[in-house]
Amino acid sequence: DTSAYDPQEKEKVEVDPFDPDDGGEEPEPEDGVLVPGIHRIKLQVKASDGSITERYFKYYMPVSINTAIPISLIFEFHGSWSFNPGEVPPGPIENIPMSNALIQHALKYNCIIVFPAGSVVGGSESASVAWSDTEKNLLFFDGMIAFFNRSVPRIDPNRIFSTGQSSGAIFSFALGFHRSAVVAAIAPRAGQMKITNQPVLPERAMPVRVFAGVNDDIVQHSAVLSN
């Protein structure tokens, strides 16, 4: 076909004014009320020494969720985010897309996904946003659980789960070990925890589905299984 290409004539369409998209997040909901969408929540976490640290997390709740029955809760803990000292720490849970695998899971199975933000750790040479301060992060987790327990619609206390990548996987193991009365099961990805050096085992047997790569040079597959 050697004929000339004639572009289509496009009709001019007037578009109504609109506000720019801010990433799909909505204003913070009223405390004690869970609403559909992606929401950022701030918590004041009190440490054992009395100091208070502001921590934050996001949760996603699908609009189709059945509020007449208790709702399952899944925590997703991100991996370590490195940055140079003096720089502004990265936001590890910014711009969570609707295509996120767990959000799609929530849409299919009507549950709530929680995306907590880790704390800044490190020294003068390197720093990261991670989950290595187990004691402080356990208090943060307790604060998030308290937030959902005082909120409506009601969370199912028997269906609270944790997953995470790398540093988040290690903290998922820590939750399975130290919060076995709260967390029903864990599914860590590329992380491990050695329990042979622990003097006291969890209160109950913790179901674990762990994902570890046989070619992973950092989190060795054989070590994950033995630990």
Side-chain angles (χ1 to χ4, degrees), residues 146-207:
F147 168 84
F148 285 105
N149 282 340
R150 68 172 180 264
S151 299
V152 292
R154 190 159 52 96
I155 298 300
D156 190 338
N158 296 317
R159 289 183 171 85
I160 299 175
F161 308 97
S162 176
T163 183
Q165 176 75 19
S166 189
S167 174
I170 297 172
F171 187 61
S172 289
F173 272 114
L175 287 178
F177 196 90
H178 297 289
R179 294 294 184 268
S180 62
V182 177
V183 178
I186 61 174
R189 313 186 306 272
Q192 60 177 318
M193 178 181 182
K194 189 171 184 177
I195 66 172
T196 55
N197 58 350
Q198 299 289 338
V200 180
L201 289 175
E203 299 176 16
R204 52 176 280 268
M206 174 60 55

Side-chain angles (χ1 to χ4, degrees), residues 23-30 33-42 56-63 93 96 103 112-116 147-148:
E25 296 175 27
E26 301 174 11
E28 290 187 20
E30 177 185 349
V33 179
L34 303 177
V35 293
I38 299 178
H39 303 281
R40 177 181 173 127
I41 305 296
K42 297 177 183 178
Y56 72 98
F57 66 94
K58 292 180 179 178
Y59 75 83
Y60 172 74
M61 176 176 164
V63 69
I93 59 172
I96 299 173
I103 286 184
I112 293 177
I113 311 298
V114 187
F115 301 92
F147 168 84
F148 285 105

